[in-house]
Amino acid sequence: MLPSPSDLAKGAPIEDTMAFVLEAHKLGIATWALKPIFKEALHMIRRITTASSKARERGETGQDDEKEDMMVDEMATRALLLINPDTYTAWNVRKRLIVGGYLR
């Protein structure tokens, strides 16, 4: 879990609490934050993929849930590929989003 801004009030150095820095249109991510971000994004993709495949097996197709899952998949794959472009699971999910018309 990433530390919150309230950790600054506890006297921790800013370098240890700030996960992201945006300077001159460039994003910097603290090295200590990479692993938790990657794990959480991968967990999100796996959870949604498992839930949607189980729903398909039961014959349930909820349009609202599917659209929300696609939005979460898009954000999670973006985070995964930002950290590690060799994550083929993320590329396959993005391909599914493009074929389904959810992503251009």
Side-chain angles (χ1 to χ4, degrees), residues 55-90:
R56 268 188 260 119
E57 286 175 4
R58 292 189 305 262
E60 300 172 1
T61 55
Q63 286 290 341
D64 293 335
D65 291 339
E66 185 177 333
K67 189 171 184 174
E68 184 178 320
D69 289 348
M70 296 303 168
M71 290 173 51
V72 172
D73 275 346
E74 193 275 328
M75 290 186 291
T77 56
R78 184 181 297 182
L80 285 173
L81 294 172
L82 181 67
I83 294 171
N84 183 4
D86 290 333
T87 309
Y88 294 109
T89 300

Side-chain angles (χ1 to χ4, degrees), residues 3 7-8 11-21 28-33:
D7 292 336
L8 286 172
I14 193 165
E15 296 83 20
D16 293 341
T17 58
M18 299 301 290
F20 303 100
V21 175
I29 304 174
T31 55
W32 58 264

